[in-house]
Amino acid sequence: MIKLHEQGAYLVGGQTIIPADAEASAKLQATAGKAVSPAEAKKETIAWGILEAHNTSGNMEQLQIKFDKLTSHDITFVGIIQTARASGLEKFPIPYVLTNCHNSLCAVGGTINEDDHMFGLSCAKRYGGVYVPPHQAVIHQFAREMLAGGGRMILGSDSHTRYGALGTMAMGEGGPELVKQLLERTYDIAMPGVVGVYLTGAPIPGVGPQDVALALIKAVFDNGYVKNKVMEFVGPGVASLSTDFRIGVDVMTTETTCLSSIWRTDDEVKKFYEEHGRVDEYKELNPGEIAYYDGMIEIDLSEIRPMIAMPFHPSNAYTIEEVNANLMDILDDVEKRAQVSLDGKIPYSLKDKVHDGKLLVDQGIIAGCAGGGFENICDAADILRGHFIGADDFTMSVYPASTPIYMELAKNGVLADLIRTGTVVKTAFCGPCFGAGDTPANNAFSIRHSTRNFPNREGSKIQEGQISSVALMDARSIAATAVNQGFLTPATEYAGEYRRPVYHFDKEIYANRVFDSHGEADPSVEVKFGPNIKDWPEMAKLPENMILKVVSEIHDPVTTTDELIPSGETSSYRSNPLRLSEFALSRKDPAYVGRAKEVQKAQRAIEAGEAPEDALPEIVNVLDALEREFPDLQDDIEKIASGAADGTEGVLGVGSTIFAVKPGDGSAREQAASCQKVLGGWANIANEYATKRYRSNLINWGMLPFLIPEGDLPFANGDYLFVPGIRAAVENKTEEITAYRVGEEMKAFTMRLGDLTDDEREIITKGCLINYYRG
């Protein structure tokens, strides 16, 4: 079904794969009439051409990218614009689209969600942007319909910013990276590797894009095959897929941990642009005659079968046939995984869902940027037509991804067909993807064509004894399961026909409702602030020497950003840094916030010229140990300890840190890092960072992204660490940094910071990106 090459590979004429082994030169000579080096053939990938066209550094090894367009939604754009305003923003230099698809319900916290929307509208007017009102479109569907363009690059503050199927290389990053673009700076990365995804064959009836995506994620997530690389979809199988199908696969590439994606384009994609009135944005994209890829994934689409990603990760995937055939064994495995993901805090089992040997689910949802496409919904409606959801526990909801899609469903009768079955059809909203809509009942099991199935992301709260869980499936198999009254069923059992109605895009819907400044800023417009919209607190620069207290220790194989800062109701407070920080790690380590705040008191005392031990009594033992072991610092520490800190400014800082094995999988949300910084955090310590975007968020908020080798930890939760000369180590690009666990003995250990650009080093030393831009 899926084959991963162990080495790089050449693609000749878009059709022939030649592994980059000892025989490669001879095979290239025989097939293409010439042999070329990997360095030269890399330039023939689609990705290389797009990156080269957007690189401003003149050096293709170290890229400095300027994007064509930006996009954000309503739990990210307030913080981004506030940061840019604090750094001197006068107008948006490129098109910036502000969508409102996350806090659309305006149901939590009084007026604060709508206050954020009015902030966005006023900023679109003042700075020259585009404002998409609530319920009009989810962020990524609007971008597909109105922003994407062949050979273009788009940066979005949402991790599922993926428009590669339309020939647009798009990346999802934390807000500070968008701030850099708004201030006409660049996105700086080393040239990423490019992995080919070579498609052959065609999907069989009943197999949809989520099935292909889950099979792909299963094959590459655990082994890191595409981590921080660009996935380039090529091969003859691409032509067998509709544009909607390609989009459905493409958006899920985020769950592989790749950096971005791009696809070869053809007349099928051109039709998409024609339908949306933007045919001039189409560009045919194909790799060159001999293109080299750093890895190659072969997928025979005809061998893909309906898939299900069991809790609690998209990579925990099986065919539905496997689950039905080996149900109890797989549920045993899910329970074991749950004990890790849930830290054993709550009993968890799905075995009560087994009835007469079959798995009975409680809820089906087709929604968002992954599931809410026109073709997914129409195919699901064909399976559902003439059947009924029934009057028992099982419920079914469908969220079209945009109002134009909703309108077409109404015009062609699909909407009526769905409603007649008992399905509830709702407006464009991302809520089910992050726990703000259609939360299941306690102990319920939901199947969803959406993006993620992490713990809590469906809305449950482990700390309050509430637990439900989600499995990811394709819309077609969700519909087949609904027809079967909730018993898990693959869509390949549907023997009827798919009508495949033609889609007609109604551009007047957006023309009549979306505010578009057409790039014209109006400085006379006052920005509207609600009482929940707060500025960022002042953040200190990196001190010369650092005391860190470990205040949380997480040993899960992977820690998601949902666990670092939960989604759901917390999203309403994303415009209020202090209020939001109270939720940090609340579902993973509820004691974290209190511990971090206690440590922060010592730093505030030092900044105020007061004795830190008055604020944090236990710090006196740490300071005594440092005086004893580091004679060069003795005088300064004595002054700091007594509160007579004249002349010691910046010598010593006190902050908190967390350890996690592999933090940062999932969302691009910068608040996973900024909340820690607001609470006095100065570092993360990890064996590995799950994604580039989380590590970038740490750096942009002035947090040290320390790395230590896997194995026995040299410290434990509650320990104090001392990192002497940390500022000089950052400035001087020291590769290995010696730190000490403070105790009766000072136990030394080594940490690394990994590769940092000169700008990133300066951001860290100045304390955060805001300070960096203030000078």
Side-chain angles (χ1 to χ4, degrees):
M1 182 164 57
I2 297 182
K3 174 186 175 182
L4 306 183
H5 285 246
E6 294 181 1
Q7 59 210 345
Y10 295 91
L11 182 65
V12 179
Q15 300 286 328
T16 304
I17 297 172
I18 297 178
D21 54 23
E23 299 177 3
S25 292
K27 290 179 179 177
L28 285 171
Q29 194 71 46
T31 305
K34 62 178 179 179
V36 295
S37 68
E40 284 300 308
K42 281 183 178 182
K43 299 176 183 178
E44 297 301 310
T45 63
I46 302 170
W48 179 285
I50 294 175
L51 290 169
E52 184 178 42
H54 291 81
N55 180 34
T56 64
S57 72
N59 176 6
M60 285 299 289
E61 295 301 314
Q62 296 296 326
L63 307 178
Q64 294 179 332
I65 299 296
K66 285 200 169 183
F67 288 84
D68 298 298
K69 298 173 184 178
L70 307 175
T71 186
S72 295
H73 50 62
D74 48 346
I75 53 176
T76 58
F77 66 59
V78 176
I80 291 167
I81 296 172
Q82 282 288 74
T83 303
R85 280 166 51 83
S87 306
L89 175 71
E90 294 184 358
K91 80 179 294 287
F92 297 153
I94 57 176
Y96 186 21
V97 175
L98 312 178
T99 64
N100 295 272
C101 52
H102 279 60
N103 279 339
S104 302
L105 291 181
C106 303
V108 178
T111 71
I112 61 180
N113 291 348
E114 188 62 14
D115 291 343
D116 288 349
H117 300 160
M118 292 302 97
F119 173 92
L121 178 58
S122 64
C123 287
K125 293 177 179 178
R126 180 180 179 89
Y127 299 113
V130 177
Y131 173 85
V132 183
H135 305 286
Q136 292 298 305
V138 302
I139 177 173
H140 303 307
Q141 186 63 25
F142 186 84
R144 296 161 188 155
E145 293 169 349
M146 303 302 291
L147 302 183
R152 302 298 183 96
M153 292 190 72
I154 293 177
L155 183 66
S157 55
D158 184 273
S159 57
H160 290 96
T161 307
R162 291 283 189 270
Y163 318 128
L166 299 174
T168 303
M169 189 179 290
M171 298 174 184
E173 286 282 356
E177 293 299 333
L178 277 80
V179 172
K180 293 176 184 177
Q181 297 290 311
L182 290 175
L183 299 176
E184 301 191 74
R185 304 297 179 96
T186 55
Y187 177 74
D188 300 345
I189 54 170
M191 177 68 189
V194 182
V195 174
V197 184
Y198 186 81
L199 304 180
T200 58
I204 65 172
V207 168
Q210 189 81 326
D211 299 316
V212 177
L214 293 178
L216 177 57
I217 294 163
K218 179 180 178 67
V220 302
F221 177 80
D222 285 340
N223 57 27
Y225 192 81
V226 298
K227 182 180 176 181
N228 295 332
K229 297 180 173 67
V230 177
M231 298 176 76
E232 184 161 308
F233 288 78
V234 293
V238 173
S240 73
L241 305 177
S242 68
T243 302
D244 254 17
F245 198 113
R246 300 178 203 185
I247 285 170
V249 176
D250 186 58
V251 70
M252 291 298 291
T253 59
T254 295
E255 305 312 319
T256 68
T257 71
C258 74
L259 178 71
S260 187
S261 62
I262 193 70
W263 292 56
R264 60 173 293 264
T265 60
D266 53 20
D267 286 346
E268 173 65 21
V269 176
K270 186 177 182 180
K271 284 195 301 183
F272 178 94
Y273 281 105
E274 288 174 340
E275 179 57 44
H276 290 81
R278 301 192 303 118
V279 69
D280 56 318
E281 292 283 4
Y282 170 73
K283 182 177 181 180
E284 184 176 349
L285 299 173
N286 283 296
E289 181 59 25
I290 304 176
Y292 178 82
Y293 294 93
D294 298 286
M296 183 66 74
I297 304 166
E298 293 187 63
I299 303 178
D300 183 344
L301 294 167
S302 67
E303 293 184 1
I304 302 292
R305 293 298 180 266
M307 302 288 293
I308 179 170
M310 297 294 283
F312 288 100
H313 198 275
S315 64
N316 187 24
Y318 306 85
T319 67
I320 294 176
E321 292 171 349
E322 282 181 278
V323 171
N324 286 338
N326 304 284
L327 186 54
M328 299 310 291
D329 288 343
I330 289 172
L331 294 185
D332 277 337
D333 182 68
V334 171
E335 287 184 16
K336 292 175 184 176
R337 289 172 181 257
Q339 289 306 306
V340 175
S341 296
L342 306 178
D343 292 328
K345 293 176 181 176
I346 193 167
Y348 179 86
S349 177
L350 290 177
K351 290 177 180 174
D352 63 333
K353 305 298 177 188
V354 179
H355 297 262
D356 297 325
K358 299 177 181 178
L359 186 61
L360 182 65
V361 303
D362 301 290
Q363 182 190 65
I365 293 177
I366 300 168
C369 58
F374 179 75
E375 190 173 289
N376 289 330
I377 295 172
C378 289
D379 282 3
D382 285 337
I383 296 172
L384 285 162
R385 190 173 293 106
H387 298 276
F388 304 94
I389 302 304
D392 214 329
D393 294 355
F394 185 83
T395 62
M396 181 82 173
S397 295
V398 171
Y399 293 74
S402 70
T403 304
I405 292 175
Y406 201 122
M407 174 71 85
E408 187 62 18
L409 296 174
K411 287 180 177 178
N412 69 14
V414 168
L415 178 59
D417 290 340
L418 288 170
I419 292 172
R420 192 174 294 114
T421 70
T423 298
V424 179
V425 184
K426 303 184 179 182
T427 55
F429 177 44
C430 295
C433 292
F434 67 98
D438 274 301
T439 301
N442 188 51
N443 291 320
F445 183 44
S446 177
I447 53 173
R448 303 185 175 192
H449 191 155
S450 60
T451 54
R452 292 192 172 121
N453 60 335
F454 299 162
N456 309 304
R457 202 171 170 94
E458 78 298 332
S460 61
K461 296 181 182 179
I462 296 169
Q463 75 276 19
E464 296 183 18
Q466 303 166 16
I467 182 65
S468 56
S469 53
V470 166
L472 300 184
M473 286 169 51
D474 188 80
R476 294 148 192 81
S477 290
I478 293 173
T481 299
V483 167
N484 205 12
Q485 299 297 296
F487 286 103
L488 185 65
T489 305
T492 44
E493 292 189 8
Y494 171 66
E497 293 186 6
Y498 293 101
R499 300 187 303 172
R500 297 287 162 81
V502 175
Y503 179 63
H504 302 94
F505 176 73
D506 186 346
K507 65 180 181 180
E508 295 303 314
I509 295 171
Y510 291 150
N512 293 334
R513 187 69 187 100
V514 171
F515 171 79
D516 188 349
S517 71
H518 300 287
E520 294 294 324
D522 185 355
S524 69
V525 175
E526 294 292 328
V527 175
K528 291 185 178 180
F529 290 93
N532 186 61
I533 298 174
K534 303 295 185 183
D535 291 328
W536 293 101
E538 292 293 325
M539 297 183 190
K541 66 181 181 180
L542 183 69
E544 296 172 22
N545 308 282
M546 175 66 72
I547 295 171
L548 293 170
K549 184 176 183 180
V550 182
V551 293
S552 188
E553 186 178 343
I554 304 170
H555 289 276
D556 290 2
V558 179
T559 303
T560 69
T561 48
D562 283 82
E563 293 166 311
L564 295 168
I565 182 66
S567 52
E569 82 283 4
T570 64
S571 300
S572 294
Y573 302 106
R574 298 268 184 102
S575 303
N576 187 332
L578 293 174
R579 184 81 180 271
L580 181 66
S581 68
E582 297 288 336
F583 293 96
L585 272 77
S586 59
R587 298 184 188 176
K588 194 68 181 172
D589 185 355
Y592 163 76
V593 172
R595 294 191 196 115
K597 283 185 171 182
E598 285 299 307
V599 179
Q600 191 176 36
K601 291 177 181 177
Q603 175 65 26
R604 287 177 173 167
I606 292 172
E607 292 171 355
E610 300 169 356
E613 67 180 86
D614 292 341
L616 183 65
E618 67 186 26
I619 199 75
V620 67
N621 295 327
V622 179
L623 296 176
D624 286 347
L626 298 187
E627 281 188 65
R628 183 176 63 249
E629 299 293 335
F630 295 91
D632 292 348
L633 294 174
Q634 184 173 1
D635 290 344
D636 286 333
I637 290 175
E638 285 180 353
K639 288 181 181 180
I640 291 168
S642 67
D646 289 346
T648 64
E649 182 181 358
V651 170
L652 183 68
V654 181
S656 58
T657 188
I658 69 170
F659 169 79
V661 172
K662 188 178 178 181
D665 186 27
S667 170
R669 68 186 69 154
E670 65 184 273
Q671 294 87 357
S674 66
C675 282
Q676 295 177 53
K677 187 60 182 284
V678 166
L679 293 168
W682 268 111
N684 275 196
I685 305 174
N687 298 140
E688 178 186 356
Y689 291 99
T691 59
K692 174 209 170 292
R693 54 185 174 270
Y694 177 67
R695 184 174 181 271
S696 293
N697 286 337
L698 291 174
I699 293 165
N700 285 325
W701 284 106
M703 303 268 285
L704 295 153
F706 285 130
L707 290 163
I708 60 173
E710 290 184 43
D712 293 335
L713 273 182
F715 53 79
N717 197 16
D719 282 348
Y720 278 94
L721 313 177
F722 182 57
V723 192
I726 182 58
R727 185 180 182 92
V730 173
E731 292 174 335
N732 297 332
K733 305 181 180 180
T734 304
E735 289 191 14
E736 294 191 344
I737 296 166
T738 301
Y740 300 85
R741 181 174 66 81
V742 180
E744 292 184 8
E745 296 181 33
M746 302 287 281
K747 292 191 175 180
F749 63 96
T750 300
M751 299 190 290
R752 296 181 299 106
L753 285 171
D755 292 335
L756 293 168
T757 68
D758 290 344
D759 284 348
E760 287 174 335
R761 292 178 187 278
E762 190 173 352
I763 290 167
I764 290 173
T765 57
K766 288 190 173 179
C768 67
L769 189 69
I770 297 173
N771 295 353
Y772 170 78
Y773 283 127
R774 284 175 176 165

